[in-house]
Amino acid sequence: MIPDKAPKEDVFLGSEDLKKEAHVPSFDKYKELYIHSVENPGEFWGDVAKDFFWRNKHTGQFLDYNFDVTKGEIFIKCMEGATTNICYNLLDRNVHEKKLADKIAFLWEGNEPGDELTVTYRELLQRVCQFANVLKSQGVKKGDRVSIYMPMVVELVVAMLACARIGAVHSVVFAGFSAESLCERIIDSQCSLLITADGFYRGDKLINLKLLSDEALQKCKDKGFPVKKCIMLKHLSKEPEEIVGSRSPPAKRSCPDLEQKKQTGKAKKTRPVPQGVLHTVSGYMLYTAITFKLVFDYQPDDIYWCTADIGWITGHSYITYGPMALGATSVLFEGLPTYPDVSRMWEIVDKYHVTKFYTAPTAIRLLMKFGNEPVQKYKRKSLKILGTVGEPINPEAWQWYYNVVGEKRCPVVDTFWQTETGGHVLTPLPAATPMKPGSATFPFFGVVPAILNESGEELEGPSEGYLVFKQPWPGMMRTVYGNHQRFETTYFKKFPGYYVTGDGCRRDKDGYYWITGRIDDMLNVSGHLLSTAEVESALVEHKAVAEAAVVSRPHPVKGESLYCFVTLNDGVSYNQTLEAELKKQVREKIGAIATPDYIQNAPGLPKTRSGKIMRRVLRKVACNEKDLGDISTLADSSVVEQLFQNRCCTAV
Ligand code: WTA
């Protein structure tokens, strides 16, 4: 479990300045609260819930669950009977009860530098009420599903909250998805209305959403699912009021009983989940709010910026719901980190005096490739806390983030979580947890992790195996929409009594948790289980390498062999000497068993728009199989052709 005392060696400590005002100022305090949260969840979460508006308080015990398939149906009940409205909590409560009416909710920064606007909590409330009326006038009722396909604009938040206000279920489809993907998601969720925009620019590329939406709606019609209503924001022509429409009085808010909110529908990624992940309003609201508050040590004068897209869970939880529940001021950014140049992030940090900054390892590695100068062109004095999410961060990237971006002043919170968990589950608290580069450290309150071996036995002390959770917390998913059986098989069948994350994990001598990557990303070389993430990390430590992705390729003798793709830093060229060096590096870091069989120079890697590498595609390249399946979620499909052209035919 959690050590009695925080380790003092080989760790990075949070800043002393932060400790003075922090909500959780020390490791001892963390430990005390953690034990309380696990032993008395009702009391712990009851205190958190006090700050929110409830139409009805929960009845009966706070938490009830069964994680054991051999004992009957899996269920998670939390705050049964509680009713509330999440939109009321995010807007009305802040405007009317918390006196935050004139506080800025979003500082919107467009794709082009200089394109900007601000919106206060009062203005947002007005716009949400108006738009809720528009939705009602279009016949949208409680329980109806609404598809939202929009760029990162304030109107996207307005649309989401207007849905939540009237009890409709929003399904936000990432605006980088194709017409085919949009159509699929509309039909999957049986949406009665589509909210979209005419288009937007990503860097210098025009994304014609109108065309894509028209095509998607035509496809829906052809498949026998006509969507009659569509509302379009004129974003390109700068007439945002188009979406607002009606000026009638504010919509009456409804208080759906534990209104169920379907997440982003199909999120096709490297892992075979999370489709139709279903969360409940009360639990999701409490959990996103409290994790936001404690993990980013939220203070009222913060300027917070999460660079994720709202179409993904990180944007749902940590742009819309968590920060707004606290009445925070957030930057909402429409553009790209590399447009018009690779300093854009830091320019924005200085422009708005961002204090808390949350991004993904892939973005960090991308920017790291261009060296320190683009970062150091800007001051970044306002920054206090840096966060990362999405995949294991290799220690090298962590160090760069900490040393260069944060100038050794800002703790890095490496937050491990999943669409399914609703919010952070393993994470440092910035003033309390000594950090180790690459480790997500310890569990958040209410979360009880364990590491199991292949036979399902809990491992104690330093160990490596499957990461599971032993009991639920409020933000945990409740089921798979319309398919409870799938929920049981995906997450509970393998190890009765535990929620299985699907991630591999190592616990070190100090009790720190280190995510080693998806279990499906493990490979077995001559009977040795290797984590692709570990090999990638070893490759990336070489100064020539910006990014690496490793997949397995079947091998007649070893079972599986290591096929490595490396993206080199700007200005470095690939040659045999480098190849030999890379092999040596991996051998030295991990062992001879992990020596790469193939190394391919890959100027571009196939990534989803949220930055996850699609290993499925790389496995096909490694085996020279051209049947790639659906690759519509790829950010740039042209890299695939290039990868096939550069294939290695013989082992190195
Ligand atoms: C991975 C994103 C290591 C992990 C919030 C998980 C991480 C999957 C981290 C969920 C992290 C996310 N360290 N791995 N800090 N954060 N992951 O549903 O494999 O898009 O299971 O949720 O991302 O991805 P999802």
mmCIF file of all heavy atoms in Angstrom, residues 269 271 274 313-314 388-392 414-420 503 515 518 612, ligand 1:
data_model
loop_
_atom_site.group_PDB
_atom_site.id
_atom_site.type_symbol
_atom_site.label_atom_id
_atom_site.label_comp_id
_atom_site.label_asym_id
_atom_site.label_seq_id
_atom_site.Cartn_x
_atom_site.Cartn_y
_atom_site.Cartn_z
ATOM 1 N N LYS A 269 -9.571 3.216 -31.082
ATOM 2 C CA LYS A 269 -8.174 3.489 -30.801
ATOM 3 C C LYS A 269 -7.418 2.192 -30.856
ATOM 4 O O LYS A 269 -7.875 1.214 -31.380
ATOM 5 C CB LYS A 269 -8.059 4.113 -29.422
ATOM 6 C CG LYS A 269 -8.680 5.468 -29.408
ATOM 7 C CD LYS A 269 -8.355 6.144 -28.151
ATOM 8 C CE LYS A 269 -9.287 5.669 -27.088
ATOM 9 N NZ LYS A 269 -9.091 6.453 -25.902
ATOM 10 N N ARG A 271 -7.042 0.319 -28.487
ATOM 11 C CA ARG A 271 -7.590 -0.707 -27.618
ATOM 12 C C ARG A 271 -9.047 -0.935 -27.968
ATOM 13 O O ARG A 271 -9.737 -0.033 -28.434
ATOM 14 C CB ARG A 271 -7.414 -0.321 -26.157
ATOM 15 C CG ARG A 271 -8.089 0.955 -25.779
ATOM 16 C CD ARG A 271 -7.441 1.506 -24.536
ATOM 17 N NE ARG A 271 -8.219 2.631 -24.039
ATOM 18 C CZ ARG A 271 -9.026 2.554 -23.029
ATOM 19 N NH1 ARG A 271 -9.228 1.412 -22.411
ATOM 20 N NH2 ARG A 271 -9.676 3.616 -22.620
ATOM 21 N N PRO A 274 -13.258 2.040 -25.781
ATOM 22 C CA PRO A 274 -14.339 2.238 -24.868
ATOM 23 C C PRO A 274 -15.542 2.762 -25.648
ATOM 24 O O PRO A 274 -15.613 3.936 -25.935
ATOM 25 C CB PRO A 274 -13.824 3.293 -23.888
ATOM 26 C CG PRO A 274 -12.672 3.961 -24.583
ATOM 27 C CD PRO A 274 -12.369 3.167 -25.828
ATOM 28 N N ILE A 313 -12.343 12.214 -23.991
ATOM 29 C CA ILE A 313 -12.743 12.245 -22.584
ATOM 30 C C ILE A 313 -11.975 13.307 -21.788
ATOM 31 O O ILE A 313 -12.529 13.949 -20.897
ATOM 32 C CB ILE A 313 -12.601 10.836 -21.930
ATOM 33 C CG1 ILE A 313 -13.207 10.820 -20.524
ATOM 34 C CG2 ILE A 313 -11.161 10.397 -21.884
ATOM 35 C CD1 ILE A 313 -14.673 11.009 -20.447
ATOM 36 N N THR A 314 -10.708 13.519 -22.109
ATOM 37 C CA THR A 314 -9.947 14.516 -21.342
ATOM 38 C C THR A 314 -10.597 15.894 -21.459
ATOM 39 O O THR A 314 -10.693 16.634 -20.483
ATOM 40 C CB THR A 314 -8.477 14.565 -21.816
ATOM 41 O OG1 THR A 314 -7.934 13.250 -21.699
ATOM 42 C CG2 THR A 314 -7.649 15.523 -20.982
ATOM 43 N N THR A 388 0.279 15.834 -17.421
ATOM 44 C CA THR A 388 0.273 15.036 -18.647
ATOM 45 C C THR A 388 -0.738 13.911 -18.522
ATOM 46 O O THR A 388 -1.048 13.452 -17.432
ATOM 47 C CB THR A 388 1.641 14.398 -19.012
ATOM 48 O OG1 THR A 388 1.679 13.074 -18.484
ATOM 49 C CG2 THR A 388 2.790 15.163 -18.495
ATOM 50 N N VAL A 389 -1.223 13.452 -19.658
ATOM 51 C CA VAL A 389 -2.211 12.378 -19.695
ATOM 52 C C VAL A 389 -2.216 11.714 -21.059
ATOM 53 O O VAL A 389 -1.871 12.340 -22.050
ATOM 54 C CB VAL A 389 -3.630 12.922 -19.432
ATOM 55 C CG1 VAL A 389 -4.037 13.983 -20.433
ATOM 56 C CG2 VAL A 389 -4.665 11.790 -19.444
ATOM 57 N N GLY A 390 -2.607 10.461 -21.082
ATOM 58 C CA GLY A 390 -2.871 9.813 -22.361
ATOM 59 C C GLY A 390 -2.057 8.574 -22.605
ATOM 60 O O GLY A 390 -2.513 7.647 -23.256
ATOM 61 N N GLU A 391 -0.857 8.544 -22.108
ATOM 62 C CA GLU A 391 0.002 7.376 -22.296
ATOM 63 C C GLU A 391 1.165 7.507 -21.312
ATOM 64 O O GLU A 391 1.354 8.570 -20.722
ATOM 65 C CB GLU A 391 0.510 7.307 -23.740
ATOM 66 C CG GLU A 391 1.179 8.587 -24.159
ATOM 67 C CD GLU A 391 1.673 8.562 -25.586
ATOM 68 O OE1 GLU A 391 2.345 7.599 -25.967
ATOM 69 O OE2 GLU A 391 1.411 9.535 -26.296
ATOM 70 N N PRO A 392 1.922 6.442 -21.146
ATOM 71 C CA PRO A 392 3.057 6.576 -20.238
ATOM 72 C C PRO A 392 4.001 7.645 -20.777
ATOM 73 O O PRO A 392 4.257 7.699 -21.974
ATOM 74 C CB PRO A 392 3.732 5.200 -20.296
ATOM 75 C CG PRO A 392 2.700 4.265 -20.835
ATOM 76 C CD PRO A 392 1.824 5.087 -21.734
ATOM 77 N N ASP A 414 1.548 13.486 -13.489
ATOM 78 C CA ASP A 414 1.362 12.462 -14.520
ATOM 79 C C ASP A 414 0.088 11.708 -14.145
ATOM 80 O O ASP A 414 0.092 10.864 -13.263
ATOM 81 C CB ASP A 414 2.588 11.539 -14.512
ATOM 82 C CG ASP A 414 2.456 10.368 -15.472
ATOM 83 O OD1 ASP A 414 1.411 10.235 -16.136
ATOM 84 O OD2 ASP A 414 3.410 9.573 -15.546
ATOM 85 N N THR A 415 -1.012 12.066 -14.810
ATOM 86 C CA THR A 415 -2.322 11.558 -14.399
ATOM 87 C C THR A 415 -2.706 10.340 -15.214
ATOM 88 O O THR A 415 -2.918 10.433 -16.414
ATOM 89 C CB THR A 415 -3.391 12.646 -14.590
ATOM 90 O OG1 THR A 415 -3.458 12.983 -15.986
ATOM 91 C CG2 THR A 415 -3.063 13.897 -13.794
ATOM 92 N N PHE A 416 -2.805 9.206 -14.569
ATOM 93 C CA PHE A 416 -3.272 8.005 -15.253
ATOM 94 C C PHE A 416 -4.775 7.878 -15.048
ATOM 95 O O PHE A 416 -5.253 7.909 -13.923
ATOM 96 C CB PHE A 416 -2.586 6.746 -14.697
ATOM 97 C CG PHE A 416 -3.278 5.493 -15.167
ATOM 98 C CD1 PHE A 416 -3.003 4.962 -16.416
ATOM 99 C CD2 PHE A 416 -4.248 4.880 -14.379
ATOM 100 C CE1 PHE A 416 -3.677 3.832 -16.873
ATOM 101 C CE2 PHE A 416 -4.921 3.752 -14.830
ATOM 102 C CZ PHE A 416 -4.631 3.229 -16.071
ATOM 103 N N TRP A 417 -5.493 7.715 -16.137
ATOM 104 C CA TRP A 417 -6.928 7.440 -16.056
ATOM 105 C C TRP A 417 -7.433 6.968 -17.398
ATOM 106 O O TRP A 417 -6.653 6.839 -18.341
ATOM 107 C CB TRP A 417 -7.715 8.639 -15.522
ATOM 108 C CG TRP A 417 -7.625 9.922 -16.307
ATOM 109 C CD1 TRP A 417 -6.535 10.719 -16.470
ATOM 110 C CD2 TRP A 417 -8.690 10.566 -17.004
ATOM 111 N NE1 TRP A 417 -6.862 11.821 -17.217
ATOM 112 C CE2 TRP A 417 -8.174 11.755 -17.560
ATOM 113 C CE3 TRP A 417 -10.046 10.270 -17.208
ATOM 114 C CZ2 TRP A 417 -8.957 12.639 -18.303
ATOM 115 C CZ3 TRP A 417 -10.823 11.152 -17.941
ATOM 116 C CH2 TRP A 417 -10.270 12.321 -18.486
ATOM 117 N N GLN A 418 -8.720 6.696 -17.489
ATOM 118 C CA GLN A 418 -9.312 6.156 -18.713
ATOM 119 C C GLN A 418 -10.704 6.766 -18.904
ATOM 120 O O GLN A 418 -11.303 7.244 -17.932
ATOM 121 C CB GLN A 418 -9.509 4.645 -18.573
ATOM 122 C CG GLN A 418 -8.303 3.870 -18.123
ATOM 123 C CD GLN A 418 -8.639 2.395 -17.934
ATOM 124 O OE1 GLN A 418 -9.422 2.032 -17.062
ATOM 125 N NE2 GLN A 418 -8.037 1.545 -18.746
ATOM 126 N N THR A 419 -11.216 6.660 -20.117
ATOM 127 C CA THR A 419 -12.598 7.080 -20.353
ATOM 128 C C THR A 419 -13.497 6.425 -19.297
ATOM 129 O O THR A 419 -14.389 7.055 -18.734
ATOM 130 C CB THR A 419 -13.046 6.621 -21.763
ATOM 131 O OG1 THR A 419 -12.111 7.137 -22.713
ATOM 132 C CG2 THR A 419 -14.431 7.122 -22.094
ATOM 133 N N GLU A 420 -13.226 5.185 -19.015
ATOM 134 C CA GLU A 420 -14.034 4.409 -18.083
ATOM 135 C C GLU A 420 -13.981 4.939 -16.653
ATOM 136 O O GLU A 420 -14.915 4.767 -15.877
ATOM 137 C CB GLU A 420 -13.535 2.946 -18.056
ATOM 138 C CG GLU A 420 -13.728 2.169 -19.342
ATOM 139 C CD GLU A 420 -12.578 2.372 -20.337
ATOM 140 O OE1 GLU A 420 -11.888 3.412 -20.275
ATOM 141 O OE2 GLU A 420 -12.389 1.482 -21.189
ATOM 142 N N ASP A 503 -4.279 -2.313 -18.476
ATOM 143 C CA ASP A 503 -2.918 -1.787 -18.501
ATOM 144 C C ASP A 503 -2.005 -2.647 -17.639
ATOM 145 O O ASP A 503 -2.423 -3.180 -16.610
ATOM 146 C CB ASP A 503 -2.887 -0.355 -17.966
ATOM 147 C CG ASP A 503 -3.436 0.631 -18.971
ATOM 148 O OD1 ASP A 503 -2.815 0.788 -20.032
ATOM 149 O OD2 ASP A 503 -4.500 1.215 -18.716
ATOM 150 N N ILE A 515 2.914 2.740 -14.956
ATOM 151 C CA ILE A 515 2.133 2.084 -16.014
ATOM 152 C C ILE A 515 3.114 1.641 -17.093
ATOM 153 O O ILE A 515 3.923 2.446 -17.565
ATOM 154 C CB ILE A 515 1.098 3.056 -16.624
ATOM 155 C CG1 ILE A 515 0.184 3.623 -15.532
ATOM 156 C CG2 ILE A 515 0.293 2.383 -17.730
ATOM 157 C CD1 ILE A 515 -0.682 2.636 -14.828
ATOM 158 N N ARG A 518 -0.494 -0.736 -22.383
ATOM 159 C CA ARG A 518 -1.612 -1.663 -22.502
ATOM 160 C C ARG A 518 -1.083 -3.090 -22.477
ATOM 161 O O ARG A 518 -0.017 -3.369 -23.026
ATOM 162 C CB ARG A 518 -2.351 -1.444 -23.825
ATOM 163 C CG ARG A 518 -2.911 -0.056 -24.004
ATOM 164 C CD ARG A 518 -4.035 0.238 -23.078
ATOM 165 N NE ARG A 518 -5.113 -0.728 -23.179
ATOM 166 C CZ ARG A 518 -6.077 -0.846 -22.256
ATOM 167 N NH1 ARG A 518 -6.071 -0.075 -21.188
ATOM 168 N NH2 ARG A 518 -7.037 -1.735 -22.406
ATOM 169 N N LYS A 612 -2.739 9.305 -30.129
ATOM 170 C CA LYS A 612 -2.342 7.938 -29.795
ATOM 171 C C LYS A 612 -1.840 7.242 -31.057
ATOM 172 O O LYS A 612 -2.458 7.343 -32.115
ATOM 173 C CB LYS A 612 -3.526 7.170 -29.226
ATOM 174 C CG LYS A 612 -3.894 7.653 -27.837
ATOM 175 C CD LYS A 612 -4.411 6.508 -26.985
ATOM 176 C CE LYS A 612 -4.357 6.866 -25.528
ATOM 177 N NZ LYS A 612 -5.478 7.626 -25.041
HETATM 178 C C1 WTA B 1 -3.354 5.283 -21.254
HETATM 179 C C2 WTA B 1 -7.490 9.044 -21.544
HETATM 180 C C3 WTA B 1 0.189 5.899 -18.691
HETATM 181 C C4 WTA B 1 -3.659 3.958 -20.568
HETATM 182 C C5 WTA B 1 -7.621 9.792 -20.227
HETATM 183 C C6 WTA B 1 -5.169 4.010 -20.415
HETATM 184 C C7 WTA B 1 -1.863 6.400 -19.574
HETATM 185 C C8 WTA B 1 -5.592 4.701 -21.681
HETATM 186 C C9 WTA B 1 -1.902 7.615 -18.839
HETATM 187 C C10 WTA B 1 -6.912 5.423 -21.541
HETATM 188 C C11 WTA B 1 -0.771 7.930 -18.016
HETATM 189 C C12 WTA B 1 -3.744 7.418 -19.979
HETATM 190 N N1 WTA B 1 0.235 7.033 -17.976
HETATM 191 N N2 WTA B 1 -0.824 5.560 -19.492
HETATM 192 N N3 WTA B 1 -0.700 9.058 -17.306
HETATM 193 N N4 WTA B 1 -3.084 8.213 -19.121
HETATM 194 N N5 WTA B 1 -3.021 6.333 -20.281
HETATM 195 O O1 WTA B 1 -9.731 6.214 -22.487
HETATM 196 O O2 WTA B 1 -3.268 2.923 -21.439
HETATM 197 O O3 WTA B 1 -8.464 7.810 -24.031
HETATM 198 O O4 WTA B 1 -5.760 2.737 -20.272
HETATM 199 O O5 WTA B 1 -8.434 8.057 -21.564
HETATM 200 O O6 WTA B 1 -4.542 5.644 -21.952
HETATM 201 O O7 WTA B 1 -7.211 6.158 -22.696
HETATM 202 P P1 WTA B 1 -8.530 7.056 -22.773
#
